[in-house]
Amino acid sequence: MTQDDLAKKAGVRRETIVFLEQGKYNPSLRLAHDIAKVLHARIDDLFIFDDDVPEPEERTILVD
Amino acid sequence: MTETKQRNLFRIIAGTLMLISGLVSIVLTSGEAIIGSIFLTAGLVFVITGIIRHRKYGDKTESDERSKKIGAYGLSYGWLTGIFFMFGLFWLDYLGILRMGTQLALALSIVVLALSTLIYRMYLFRRGDVD
């Protein structure tokens, strides 16, 4: 799918898709939902925030 | 018919009607042609922008959440710049540093308002977002 196709299906301009891909534009929830719907994906899979940190692993502390 | 095509079609039709009104007005009022000229000019602008926008965007989306957001922010920043400019003009006049007539002051303020809005919008569009 081209940027143009995605833009048409999501109802936005092609420039918006370009800036989204470059990470320079934060979409509204509505737009994020529409794009996810067009791509048959989840919003979480498409949009990742920089400050997303992985869950800490469980650690076992041995005490003598 | 898509919304974009409809909007541009209405723009072209309105422009054509204004053009015709302007021409008729100029022909009928042989003495004064000011109103006719205004209609003519406005009609031309409508028709030309309608044709340009149709060729540029066609069926594609003309405005979306991003362009509306940037447009609104550009307008707000432009107005803020205009207010500061007018504030500066007031103080320059009050302190006797620079005196200018009402016409010139208003004209300058309009230019600053319009230009600054355009510049802010261009900058924000290139940047991508307002944040």
Side-chain angles (χ1 to χ4, degrees), chain B residues 29 54 64 68 83 96:
Chain B
T29 58
H54 175 71
D64 58 7
K68 284 176 191 167
I83 285 170

Side-chain angles (χ1 to χ4, degrees), chain A residues 13 16 19 24-25 28, chain B residues 61-62 64-66 125 129:
Chain A
R13 287 164 63 162
T16 303
F19 282 107
K24 289 181 180 175
Y25 176 67
S28 65
Chain B
T61 307
E62 217 173 305
D64 58 7
E65 62 169 47
R66 181 177 154 264
F125 266 117
D129 201 354

Side-chain angles (χ1 to χ4, degrees), chain B residues 18-39:
Chain B
M18 286 170 88
L19 261 171
I20 294 169
S21 309
L23 281 168
V24 167
S25 176
I26 288 172
V27 166
L28 290 179
T29 58
S30 46
E32 247 181 68
I34 294 173
I35 294 179
S37 305
I38 291 171
F39 270 107

Side-chain angles (χ1 to χ4, degrees), chain A residues 11-45:
Chain A
V12 293
R13 287 164 63 162
R14 193 185 67 84
E15 293 85 5
T16 303
I17 301 296
V18 169
F19 282 107
L20 267 172
E21 285 183 4
Q22 291 173 353
K24 289 181 180 175
Y25 176 67
N26 292 319
S28 65
L29 187 57
R30 180 80 230 176
L31 178 57
H33 170 264
D34 289 345
I35 290 173
K37 200 173 161 185
V38 167
L39 296 175
H40 304 292
R42 292 171 49 203
I43 293 177
D44 284 347
D45 296 331

